[in-house]
Amino acid sequence: MDPVRNPYAPGAGQRPPELAGREKQLTAFDVVLERIARGRPERSVVLTGLRGVGKTVLLNHLRSLAIAKSWGTGKIEARPDQGLRRPLSSALHMAVREIAAGHPDPESVDYFLGVLKSFALRATADKGMRERWQPGIDAPAVKGRADSGDIEIDLVELLVDAAGLARDVGVGIALFIDEMQDLDPDDVSAICGACHELSQDAAPLIVVGAGLPHLPAVLSASKSYSERLFTYHRIDRLDREAADHALIAPAEREDVEFTHEALDVLYEMADGYPYFVQAYGKATWDVAAASPITPDDVRVGSPDAEEELAVGFFGSRYERATPAEREYMRAMAELSGDDGPVPTSKIAVELGRKPASLSPARDGLIKKGLIYSAERGFIGFTVPHFGKYLRAQTD
Ligand SMILES: Nc1ncnc2c1ncn2[C@@H]1O[C@H](COP(=O)(O)OP(=O)(O)OP(=O)(O)O)[C@@H](O)[C@H]1O
Ligand SMILES: [Mg+2]
């Protein structure tokens, strides 16, 4: 079929032609926005899940829901070893600019921008940066608020002030943090502390985070009360109905159909993982001669999908690992028949090594976001079907 009209969109953060199977999360978020608009207390929101399940896409969609309600919004993508001040101040600057026009008192907006500037300028002092970084805020810096240098104190002051502005305008502010597990421990602690303070005050500012499955553990290791601070949504693979819908709805708009049998084969191959649904959908479309799309089309197209996944989804991640880390992952792959989490003790036995000697490889892989520590003593791949991919490599 015409590749120009191919609707499917495999790729990190690529907006899917149809956001399938996320009605529950969308409805819940709508309730959060409405409650906050009415001055009711609400928890911040955290989305967790494996790689390629659609966390970033959902986060972006939630952001658009907030924008549609005239909220101020900003987004950051956390990176290991990068402080929070700079990206957060840019994101918050954007959020406040969006709502500032509706504020009755321009002076208090300027005052806030001055506080934001002081907060941001501490980034240079914190990290001992040589460069003179300017946050791009016109207002003069306000000394003595949100600039103590203690990120937790400063963040509470900053976000409480930002929420005050939003309240004046009668809207809310939502800050979106992708790859939240990559924040520094101090920054995680500061965010939890700030959310705690904001929720006690029913302040109209929420944080919406997304990250790997161990993100709840990262948050509760930081503050024991974090379990009560956030509403966690586990973003999982799509069930059969949703996966079919993700394929059928975009095709329908191009007057193309799938046979039921074609959908059976597609579901078996993609296993409900959104990234795979898009990849197999795309490859199948390109090889199909006519509508309806048949199981044979899927089978003919699938090697292309697999090749693309091997490079773009699996290979690019595998390449980030050192030789010792690759050895560790290969042992995991051998042990995890179904690609679920495996006990770390068994990995040591498999490799004939002392568990302690494997810690650097394990920690390195966790930091690179390739594996995560699941329940106590277990470790899992963050990338679905990664074990299968690795086993196929060594065959
Ligand atoms: N609900 C959905 N319906 C259909 N396709 C989806 C859905 N969610 C995501 N996708 C598709 O899945 C792919 C991966 O999405 P996304 O990048 O948001 O995943 P992610 O969970 O953020 O992955 P990572 O952990 O690697 O950042 C994209 O190609 C996207 O179009
Ligand atoms: Mg993502």
Side-chain angles (χ1 to χ4, degrees), residues 314-359:
F314 299 117
S316 60
R317 297 196 156 95
Y318 185 68
E319 273 157 25
R320 272 185 248 155
T322 65
E325 291 166 354
R326 290 178 187 185
E327 192 188 27
Y328 191 91
M329 290 196 293
R330 274 198 292 269
M332 280 176 68
E334 288 311 319
L335 292 166
S336 70
D338 61 351
D339 286 353
V342 294
T344 47
S345 54
K346 279 201 179 166
I347 299 170
V349 174
E350 170 86 12
L351 290 170
R353 302 263 298 272
K354 288 211 177 70
S357 74
L358 295 172
S359 301

Side-chain angles (χ1 to χ4, degrees), residues 163-175:
L165 276 189
R167 188 179 269 145
D168 295 342
V169 181
V171 293
I173 289 178
L175 292 174

Side-chain angles (χ1 to χ4, degrees), residues 9-11 13-14 16 18 20 51-57 274-275 278 317:
Q14 284 273 333
E18 186 78 18
R51 297 249 168 247
V53 288
K55 301 178 298 295
T56 299
V57 155
Y275 200 114
Q278 299 296 332
R317 297 196 156 95

Side-chain angles (χ1 to χ4, degrees), residues 9-22 49-60 178-179 210-212 235 238 242 246 273-279 313 317 382:
Q14 284 273 333
R15 200 169 113 185
E18 186 78 18
L19 187 75
R22 303 294 182 227
L50 297 174
R51 297 249 168 247
V53 288
K55 301 178 298 295
T56 299
V57 155
L58 183 58
L59 201 65
N60 292 341
D178 204 357
E179 303 289 351
L212 293 173
I235 309 305
L238 304 173
Y273 285 105
Y275 200 114
F276 301 160
V277 170
Q278 299 296 332
F313 193 65
R317 297 196 156 95
T382 60

Side-chain angles (χ1 to χ4, degrees), residues 320 325 358-371:
R320 272 185 248 155
E325 291 166 354
L358 295 172
S359 301
R362 193 196 54 216
D363 293 350
L365 287 167
I366 292 178
K367 197 163 181 186
K368 287 175 186 163
L370 284 158
I371 65 173

